[in-house]
Amino acid sequence: MELFYLALIQIIISIVLSIVIFFISYKILIKIFKLEESEFNNDNLALSIFFSGIIFSIGYLLSGIIPSIINAIQLIKIHSEGNLFVEVLKYSSMCLFVGFLAISILQISSFLLVKTMTKHIKEVEQLKQNNLAVSILLVSILISITLISADSLIFLLETFLPQPEFIQYN
């Protein structure tokens, strides 16, 4: 029965963390691009494609981060000598902060890469003018960089994972 509760907690953590991070990311993106939510309508497919790519990128990276948090919960449960809740909260918060920071840096650097590659194009203005070509280019680069760097991000986060102590016999 203990495995059932652990699985249930993992599902709840995954859903809650995903919703919170998607919400925060969406609000930050709206402010960065100086958009109004009314601009997302049938007349501007380019913005929808671009934001969908960003949301996919975040979701893909979160799909690697959340299992690291769940693994930490299992290891902390086995090896914790203090308050289990505090230890889990401490690791989860740190992991999410580092992950969110890394995801933000990844997406900003992807966008800056595109701006460097296409100096003659004003990307934000083109997205607002429904330029599908620019939107597809931005999303393709973002998703490619996300796929390439996802394993490195997961490895970075797993270095923070509490490791069990081993006894060496000589």
Side-chain angles (χ1 to χ4, degrees):
M1 195 60 149
E2 187 175 317
L3 284 175
F4 172 77
Y5 290 122
L6 185 59
L8 189 61
I9 289 170
Q10 291 174 356
I11 290 171
I12 292 169
I13 288 172
S14 298
I15 291 171
V16 169
L17 291 178
S18 298
I19 289 171
V20 168
I21 289 176
F22 281 135
F23 179 77
I24 292 169
S25 300
Y26 178 77
K27 291 298 183 181
I28 290 172
L29 288 169
I30 292 291
K31 289 190 187 298
I32 288 173
F33 287 100
K34 298 175 185 162
L35 298 172
E36 300 206 11
E37 292 183 21
S38 62
E39 293 185 60
F40 290 99
N41 55 35
N42 290 338
D43 296 332
N44 198 333
L45 188 58
L47 270 177
S48 297
I49 290 171
F50 179 67
F51 271 72
S52 297
I54 291 174
I55 296 297
F56 174 81
S57 172
I58 293 168
Y60 185 78
L61 292 171
L62 278 176
S63 72
I65 293 172
I66 290 176
S68 293
I69 293 172
I70 292 169
N71 289 338
I73 292 170
Q74 291 171 342
L75 279 174
I76 290 170
K77 182 179 171 195
I78 294 170
H79 300 286
S80 179
E81 296 173 4
N83 187 346
L84 180 64
F85 180 76
V86 172
E87 291 295 316
V88 167
L89 187 62
K90 182 174 71 172
Y91 176 76
S92 298
S93 300
M94 183 209 36
C95 193
L96 281 174
F97 176 74
V98 171
F100 190 72
L101 186 66
I103 290 170
S104 300
I105 290 170
L106 175 83
Q107 292 185 346
I108 290 169
S109 61
S110 298
F111 190 73
L112 291 175
L113 173 67
V114 172
K115 286 187 79 58
T116 303
M117 291 170 42
T118 57
K119 291 182 180 184
H120 62 284
I121 299 173
K122 295 182 180 180
E123 290 81 5
V124 176
E125 291 303 317
Q126 291 298 314
L127 288 172
K128 287 181 180 179
Q129 294 174 6
N130 199 26
N131 188 332
L132 293 176
V134 170
S135 179
I136 292 170
L137 175 68
L138 291 172
V139 168
S140 298
I141 291 172
L142 175 66
I143 290 174
S144 297
I145 292 173
T146 298
L147 293 172
I148 292 167
S149 62
D151 288 337
S152 300
L153 173 64
I154 294 165
F155 180 67
L156 171 70
L157 294 175
E158 286 179 351
T159 61
F160 296 110
L161 188 67
Q163 302 296 323
E165 295 180 24
F166 294 102
I167 300 173
Q168 291 183 346
Y169 295 104
N170 292 331

